[in-house]
């Protein structure tokens, strides 16, 4: 009788010592990668370095492509495509895994620096779906680029090492927060109060200068002087910068049993890293393998680095050109024959808040990679609903390769909802399903995943590329 019933139990129960060592080693590599890759730009540059070490070459280095060739293409430093040309005719389709490199954070506004009272602040506009109260009173770092008018680019990363300062957003003391504490959680911290403290020392009075030239904001002036010394910038240079405020926390092992990873940005860097390691381990696949890291997923995949742009189509067209087989409509045909895993994190069941889940259709931490047939909200609205035939195919790959997987929904019906990049590829004709690692505290400054699930995802993505 029991053979007729599906089982869903912790994957750790069947892990032997050797596998456990592999799982823990993989997690150590992952955490090291996270600690140097907090933004989409850092993900793209570090992933490109690893790909080059494995023999990937830039698309423009190839005049012609042949089976086994490894190609990368970087789109505006924020978006990366990796491909390995397959032995089979590419018309038979691609095996694509797509994750996203961006994570929720606080972006600096175009004119961020101001003074209020005795403090200099950086004004922010939050990026993605955050619970604002989670981002105050924690150590923050600043990452990104400032591009000067002449095109010179200054890379910024400050707040990560112990000898650098951190930044913080303050909050009201509980003693005087009687009125604030009565407010709804979503309204207690206003978006316009997510401003980061960056200084407190005023610029010394300069007696020589004219009274009318004197800046009334001496603390701001002092900070600008320090920034000019450190980065060679003026206040106007902020307008052509992209500076992201992120948690300064290090990725760490979590728990007495060391089973979990706590880190910022695991949505979706955990799928980025596991799919990256999978494609780096592939040689001469049967079908052409593509691993892509998109940008702007957290704000709707818009813009020329988001999945909705046509840059990915152009990249695949270029592969067809360099294989010397392109012709009208071939791109559409290739997409219609392609298969994809949309590698994005799943909402893991949190026992403290499990009433938002239907526990018979939920992703559990430590139970393996989670497959979402559909996401969406309110009657599957806005979701790409994977076809049963395709799920049967994916299931057979996972079962043949001993991958522990679970089928889940994003919470109870009508509890909320969300989306991924899956529908964008589905619209091109690709067979696609969401398939990623369950996370606790998603979109918070310190998200939690299971080392078992991360390793299982890595194995699952590798098996997919090999089929
Ligand atoms: Mn995501
Ligand atoms: Mn997300």
């Amino acid at each position: 009788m029991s053979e007729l019933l599906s089982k869903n139990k912790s994957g750790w129960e069947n892990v032997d010592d050797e596998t456990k060592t592999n799982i823990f080693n993989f997690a150590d590599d992952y955490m090291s990668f996270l600690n140097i890759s907090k933004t989409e730009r850092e993900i793209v540059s570090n992933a490109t370095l690893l790909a080059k070490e494995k023999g990937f070459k830039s698309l423009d280095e190839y005049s012609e492509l042949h089976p086994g060739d490894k190609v990368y293409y970087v789109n505006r430093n924020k978006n990366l495509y990796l491909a390995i040309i397959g032995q089979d005719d590419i018309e038979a389709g691609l095996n694509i895994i797509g994750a996203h490199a961006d994570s929720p954070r606080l972006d600096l506004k175009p004119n961020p620096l101001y003074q209020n009272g005795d403090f200099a602040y950086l004004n922010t506009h939050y990026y993605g779906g955050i619970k604002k109260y989670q981002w105050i009173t924690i150590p923050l770092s600043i990452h990104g680029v400032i591009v000067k008018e002449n095109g010179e680019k200054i890379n910024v990363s400050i707040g990560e090492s112990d000898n650098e300062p951190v930044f913080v957003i303050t909050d009201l003391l509980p003693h005087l927060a009687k009125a604030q504490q009565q407010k709804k959680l979503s309204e207690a911290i206003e978006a316009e109060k997510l401003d980061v403290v960056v200084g407190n020392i005023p610029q010394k009075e300069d007696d020589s200068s004219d009274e009318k030239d004197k800046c009334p904001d001496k603390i701001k002036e002092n900070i600008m002087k320090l920034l000019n010394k450190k980065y060679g910038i003026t206040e106007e240079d902020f307008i052509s910068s992209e500076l992201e405020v992120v948690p300064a926390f290090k990725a760490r092992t979590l728990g007495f049993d060391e089973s979990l990873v706590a880190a910022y940005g695991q949505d979706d860097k955990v799928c980025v890293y596991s799919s990256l390691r999978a494609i780096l381990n592939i040689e001469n696949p049967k079908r052409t393998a593509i691993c892509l890291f998109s940008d702007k997923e957290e704000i709707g995949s818009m813009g020329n680095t988001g999945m909705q742009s046509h840059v990915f189509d152009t990249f695949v067209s270029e592969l067809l050109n360099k294989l010397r087989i392109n012709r009208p409509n071939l791109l559409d045909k290739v997409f219609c024959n392609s298969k994809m895993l949309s590698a994005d994190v799943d909402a893991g069941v949190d026992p403290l808040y499990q009433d938002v889940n239907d526990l018979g259709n939920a992703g559990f931490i430590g139970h393996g990679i989670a497959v979402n047939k559909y996401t969406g909200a309110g009657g599957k609205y806005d979701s790409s609903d994977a076809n049963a035939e395709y799920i049967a195919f994916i299931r057979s790959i996972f079962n043949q390769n001993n991958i522990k997987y679970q089928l889940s929904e994003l919470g109870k019906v009508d509890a909320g909802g969300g989306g991924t990049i899956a529908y964008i590829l589905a619209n091109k004709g690709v067979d696609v399903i969401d398939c990623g690692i369950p996370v606790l505290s998603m979109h918070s400054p310190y998200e939690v995943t299971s080392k078992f699930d991360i390793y299982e995802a890595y194995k699952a993505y590798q098996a997919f590329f090999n089929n």
Side-chain angles (χ1 to χ4, degrees), residues 100 267-268 297-298 344-345:
H100 65 90
D267 175 7
D268 188 31
E297 192 276 342
E298 296 294 356
D344 206 344
V345 294

Side-chain angles (χ1 to χ4, degrees), residues 381-400:
Y381 205 86
D382 272 343
S383 98
S384 161
D385 196 345
N387 302 306
E389 292 85 347
Y390 183 55
I391 304 180
F393 168 77
I394 294 299
R395 190 183 140 197
S396 76
I397 295 177
F398 289 177
N399 283 333
Q400 280 162 31

Side-chain angles (χ1 to χ4, degrees), residues 107-299:
D107 283 345
L108 294 196
K109 289 190 182 188
N111 297 306
L113 186 63
Y114 76 98
Q115 180 174 336
N116 187 0
D118 282 328
F119 294 100
Y121 291 94
L122 288 170
N123 209 333
T124 70
H125 190 144
Y126 67 93
Y127 172 98
I130 63 164
K131 292 162 94 174
K132 298 179 193 82
Y133 70 86
Q134 296 176 333
W135 293 73
I136 58 180
T137 66
I138 60 168
L140 300 166
S141 60
I142 302 173
H143 295 241
V145 294
I146 303 166
V147 186
K148 312 242 317 178
E149 213 173 346
N150 63 7
E152 183 200 340
K153 192 187 289 184
I154 300 141
N155 283 302
V156 175
S157 169
I158 183 160
E160 295 296 340
S161 63
D162 288 343
N163 58 10
E164 288 171 350
V166 293
F167 307 93
V168 85
I169 298 168
T170 56
D171 190 15
L172 204 48
L173 63 169
H175 317 64
L176 299 176
K178 206 171 156 191
Q180 185 197 38
Q181 304 248 55
Q182 302 306 315
K183 290 185 185 169
K184 281 166 61 181
L185 197 55
S186 60
E187 290 164 7
I189 306 300
E190 294 160 38
E192 286 295 357
K193 284 199 169 65
L194 293 178
D195 292 351
V196 185
V197 172
V198 296
N200 180 235
I201 301 177
Q203 169 74 21
K204 288 222 168 64
E205 289 288 344
D206 182 358
D207 295 330
S208 62
S209 72
D210 226 324
E211 199 60 39
K212 64 175 167 46
D213 283 345
K214 283 183 181 168
C215 172
D217 293 336
K218 299 243 167 279
I219 295 158
K220 171 181 170 178
E221 192 184 4
N222 186 46
I223 294 297
M224 206 53 245
K225 206 172 138 192
L226 293 170
L227 292 177
N228 180 265
K229 202 169 151 207
K230 188 171 170 65
Y231 300 113
I233 60 163
T234 64
E235 190 176 9
E236 194 184 318
D237 290 323
F238 275 119
I239 65 175
S240 48
S241 72
E242 282 181 339
L243 294 168
E244 305 177 10
V245 179
V246 298
F249 304 135
K250 291 264 171 288
R252 304 284 292 268
T253 283
L254 166 62
F256 288 120
D257 57 10
E258 306 189 8
S259 55
L260 303 157
V261 172
Y264 162 70
Q266 298 201 71
D267 175 7
D268 188 31
K269 293 168 177 68
V270 69
C271 295
V272 165
Y273 187 73
S274 43
S275 60
L276 173 66
R277 283 283 299 268
I279 198 163
L280 296 186
N281 232 2
I282 301 292
E283 299 286 344
N284 293 306
K286 224 163 94 54
R287 286 162 63 88
T288 295
I290 294 188
C291 190
L292 69 88
F293 306 138
S294 71
D295 181 30
K296 299 288 184 279
E297 192 276 342
E298 296 294 356
I299 57 168

Side-chain angles (χ1 to χ4, degrees), residues 8-12 254 259-261 266 345-351 362-370 404 406 436-442 447-454:
N8 188 358
K9 52 178 193 169
S10 173
W12 288 110
L254 166 62
S259 55
L260 303 157
V261 172
Q266 298 201 71
V345 294
D346 185 40
V349 173
D350 185 334
F364 292 85
I365 302 288
H367 289 213
I369 190 162
K404 193 155 165 37
Q406 42 185 337
I437 292 148
V439 175
L440 295 189
S441 310
M442 196 193 291
E447 300 171 321
V448 174
T449 55
S450 158
K451 292 182 181 178
F452 175 82
D453 300 337
I454 298 169

